[in-house]
Amino acid sequence: MPRLVLISGTPASGKTTLAHELGRILPCPVVSRDEIKEGLVHARDSGTPSWGDPIADEAFALFYRVVTEYLRSDCSVVAEAAFFYDLTGGAEALVRLSDACIVHCRVDVHVAQRRYTDRAESDPIRRISHPDDELVNAMEAGTFGWERYAPMEIGVPVLVVDTSDGYRPGLPDIVEFARR
């Protein structure tokens, strides 16, 4: 049965960086929901989506189709997205096709907010693909729903990794967990 490593966590918690590192070490393909969304926006040249824009739903649908295809082809995969704790249906469907685990990235809220703001200001590709200004404003106003990004409870092992300053536990422990 193929291994599925779901990488979850809040925005700016280091999910994509860790996912690509794990994919290189394990080795297996990495599917990133944000990278899919960026590809859709780039191909359509349709301007910056707003929060709740239908393209976000399209990106998740494509993300689940791609990961499902890998798993049905008996290919292990690292799948990274900012999964909401209370919207687990797609992830549960993937779990049924795999030997799954979750690596959940946790970061201090202030560190995440700084990273997110820095990334929004310095990454033009990201800036045109995501409603970063809206999210930064919600973070600064204290209205951002951080609690929705708690680890999913879908009946698989979960390793919580603090990414505030490096990885705790360290990368060797994360790799060992992902290989179990």
Side-chain angles (χ1 to χ4, degrees), residues 1-7 16 18-32 35 67 70-71 74-80 99 101 175 178-179:
M1 183 165 271
R3 184 65 162 168
L4 170 63
V5 181
L6 293 167
I7 309 289
T16 305
L18 179 57
H20 283 290
E21 187 71 12
L22 283 176
R24 183 185 64 74
I25 294 169
L26 290 178
C28 62
V30 174
V31 180
S32 167
E35 290 174 358
V67 175
Y70 275 124
L71 296 174
D74 205 29
C75 180
S76 294
V77 65
V78 174
E80 175 269 318
D99 175 20
C101 66
V175 170
R179 287 184 170 151

Side-chain angles (χ1 to χ4, degrees), residues 75-119:
C75 180
S76 294
V77 65
V78 174
E80 175 269 318
F83 297 99
F84 286 141
Y85 171 82
D86 53 345
L87 295 175
T88 61
E92 290 173 6
L94 298 175
V95 165
R96 290 190 290 275
L97 300 171
S98 64
D99 175 20
C101 66
I102 297 171
V103 175
H104 184 78
C105 297
R106 180 176 305 181
V107 65
D108 176 80
V109 170
H110 297 97
V111 171
Q113 188 171 332
R114 186 186 73 246
R115 285 179 185 171
Y116 201 84
T117 302
D118 290 349
R119 182 173 64 190

